[in-house]
Amino acid sequence: MPLDETLCRGAVRSRDARFDGMFYLGVSSTGIYCRPSCPARTPKTENMRFYASAAAAQSAGFRACKRCRPDATPGSPEWNVRSDTVARAMRLIADGVVDREGVPRLAEALGYSVRQVERLLQEELGAGPLALAQAQRAQSARTLVEATELPFADVAFAAGFSSVRAFNDVVRATYAATPTELRRAAAERDARGGAGPESGAGAAGGSRSGVVSLRLPFREPLEPSNLLGHLIATAVPGVEEYRGGAYRSTVRLPRGWGVVAVHPPAGGAFPVTLHLSDVRDLAAAVSRCRRLLDLDADPVAIGEALGADPHLRALVQESPGRRVPRTLDPEALALRAVLGQQVSTAAARTHAGRLVAALGEEIVDPDGGLTHLFPRPVDVVAAAPVLDRSLRMPESRRRTVLTMATALADGTVDLGAGADWQAVRAGLLALPGIGPWTVETVAMRALGDPDAFLPSDLGILKAARDLDLPDKVPALERASRAWSPWRAYAVQYLWATSPHAVNSLPETSLPAGIPEGVTV
């Protein structure tokens, strides 16, 4: 969206952290760019330049501020709300498509020519796909420099650079420091116990060079009870677990696999540890963790919209900042949604666990009890002749699982980062055995559509009745339109009226010794 310079100047002068990641401030007198909340002295009006992306600021010749670390802000909430071409492109770039497959593949995924994609991104963000991908590479490089002991040559290629020289040039241009200076500064911060938004860098070297400790920032407020509570209560045995105060999960990544450990939030960020079989997957892993935890949401805008409804006002005021628990693996979530049709949470976990034990790929978890990756749709399709032995459920439900797996495997339904939300809905509804509840569950948790709504969900209907909202599906659907485009968040508030385990965190605290890591 076009930047309102009057609004931007006001946010900078008030150091309003709500705008961090929504735009970037370039200071022409110093040649640096900052987040709006930077604690440095406010520049003169005539020296302010505003950019819609960090990539645009870097392309204009500005270097990242060492004090506020603008590249470590939460991402723009625009890409969560919108489903247009630019938003889909941004989600694909964040997932690493340009680095892995180039701009032509990005354009192909969007259904546009390379020239059209470059024009759309340049017009809205002030930077093309290559510049946006380079900004992400620079951030990945900084993370690996500060959070690991990998040799710089390994860091360069892991971050997606074609040469060590390109890596050195981009790091120096972006951060006004060499890789050696960044690593030295991080070690000094770590020795002091961490300071400022970047915290301390957790070192990981030798045989554990694929271990990276990070801090993933978010916009406050954030209510973690239903977010982590849901992920923990619905954890699939072998793929997910709650151990040592952390939610842990395996994840399939473009070049390999990983194990993600998410600890409860502290100091405006989630401490996260990534075990990566291939460190080139760092950017994709970070992107998927941010989507899992819904970290780029704008809780103030959501709270104001939902709190305006008298039926929801007390719930929003009591627990501001609820997020939507999403997923690391959209295709697995879709299969799990079918397994969870019309059964309890415990039964859904059991069915999914049996599928994992029979068809999942085995992995070795160095720090816990995780054993498998969730099976791919193609694996489920290949096992169709023996699926009845893996899934003890009605034949009609087994057929629906196979139907969903087939649609995902052959591309009839695409749940990738750049998926068209409405096209996915239409594709799912066309499948036998798939109804509105499953479609909206997939839209909410796999696609990240903030306006997904489940009016037929029994928990939603009970909460609606208790809150004097319509308790019939058609009437509740009509009433819910007043909450658009934030109906997925209304679902979280309605579900939270129940004492179900998905709405609470286990009693624990952050174990001593967990490295805070680098903020990304």
Side-chain angles (χ1 to χ4, degrees), residues 363-388:
I363 59 101
V364 176
D365 176 8
D367 293 331
L370 302 179
T371 57
H372 291 79
L373 300 173
F374 200 93
R376 299 169 300 171
V378 68
D379 299 326
V380 177
V381 173
V386 295
L387 202 60
D388 57 336

Side-chain angles (χ1 to χ4, degrees), residues 9-376:
R9 283 193 293 271
V12 169
R13 288 178 179 133
S14 62
R15 295 186 172 88
D16 194 333
R18 293 177 300 171
F19 291 89
D20 288 355
M22 297 185 184
F23 72 88
Y24 298 83
L25 166 69
V27 183
S28 61
S29 58
T30 63
I32 65 170
Y33 76 95
C34 303
R35 61 175 79 193
S37 66
C38 183
R41 187 173 65 180
T42 303
K44 295 179 179 179
T45 300
E46 60 267 26
N47 293 331
M48 294 184 184
R49 306 289 184 271
F50 301 110
Y51 299 93
S53 66
Q58 292 170 19
S59 296
F62 290 93
R63 307 181 307 277
C65 174
K66 295 180 180 179
R67 187 167 181 182
C68 72
R69 304 299 283 271
D71 62 326
T73 61
S76 171
E78 286 281 321
W79 319 132
N80 283 355
V81 179
R82 292 163 46 181
S83 58
D84 58 22
T85 302
V86 171
R88 291 167 58 206
M90 290 300 290
R91 290 194 286 269
L92 284 165
I93 291 169
D95 201 52
V97 167
V98 171
D99 281 338
R100 293 192 304 273
E101 303 174 70
V103 176
R105 177 67 186 97
L106 171 68
E108 180 186 346
L110 297 170
Y112 285 79
S113 70
V114 170
R115 190 171 184 176
Q116 287 173 311
V117 171
E118 290 176 340
R119 178 179 57 79
L120 288 169
L121 292 173
Q122 188 71 43
E123 286 178 353
E124 182 155 347
L125 292 160
L130 288 175
L132 290 162
Q134 179 170 290
Q136 180 169 284
R137 283 197 297 275
Q139 185 181 18
S140 296
R142 177 181 69 84
T143 300
L144 289 169
V145 166
E146 295 183 344
T148 77
E149 294 176 355
L150 285 171
F152 291 145
D154 292 348
V155 169
F157 294 112
F161 290 95
S162 58
S163 69
V164 175
R165 180 175 180 176
F167 157 71
N168 284 327
D169 290 345
V170 169
V171 168
R172 189 179 296 109
T174 304
Y175 301 110
T178 65
T180 299
E181 290 167 342
L182 286 178
R183 181 165 283 176
R184 184 185 303 121
E188 290 171 355
R189 285 194 303 271
D190 196 34
R192 295 195 304 266
E198 66 274 17
S199 294
S207 62
R208 294 175 62 82
S209 60
V211 182
V212 184
S213 295
L214 309 170
R215 284 170 46 82
L216 302 183
F218 52 80
R219 293 182 180 86
E220 297 191 85
L222 183 142
E223 171 53 57
S225 58
N226 70 297
L227 177 59
L228 292 179
H230 193 112
L231 297 173
I232 293 167
T234 60
V236 175
V239 173
E240 301 166 289
E241 68 175 0
Y242 179 66
R243 180 185 292 263
Y247 163 76
R248 304 180 75 248
S249 176
T250 62
V251 57
R252 198 182 298 276
L253 294 165
R255 297 180 175 91
W257 57 271
V259 174
V260 173
V262 180
H263 291 271
F270 277 90
V272 172
T273 301
L274 302 175
H275 296 254
L276 303 175
S277 66
D278 189 325
V279 291
R280 291 177 297 172
D281 283 326
L282 175 66
V286 169
S287 174
R288 295 178 193 191
C289 286
R290 295 198 65 83
R291 286 180 62 77
L292 168 75
L293 301 169
D294 195 14
L295 297 186
D296 294 330
D298 183 351
V300 174
I302 295 166
E304 288 176 351
L306 298 184
D309 188 311
H311 299 94
L312 300 181
R313 184 174 300 135
L315 299 177
V316 174
Q317 291 175 346
E318 180 183 355
S319 301
R322 287 196 184 278
R323 301 300 207 268
V324 177
R326 294 180 178 162
T327 182
L328 291 167
D329 186 341
E331 293 184 338
L333 189 283
L335 293 172
R336 291 174 60 180
V338 175
L339 294 172
Q341 289 177 345
Q342 300 178 335
V343 298
S344 67
T345 299
R349 291 181 68 242
T350 298
H351 291 321
R354 288 172 179 162
L355 187 67
V356 166
L359 304 178
E361 179 182 342
E362 292 187 7
I363 59 101
V364 176
D365 176 8
D367 293 331
L370 302 179
T371 57
H372 291 79
L373 300 173
F374 200 93
R376 299 169 300 171

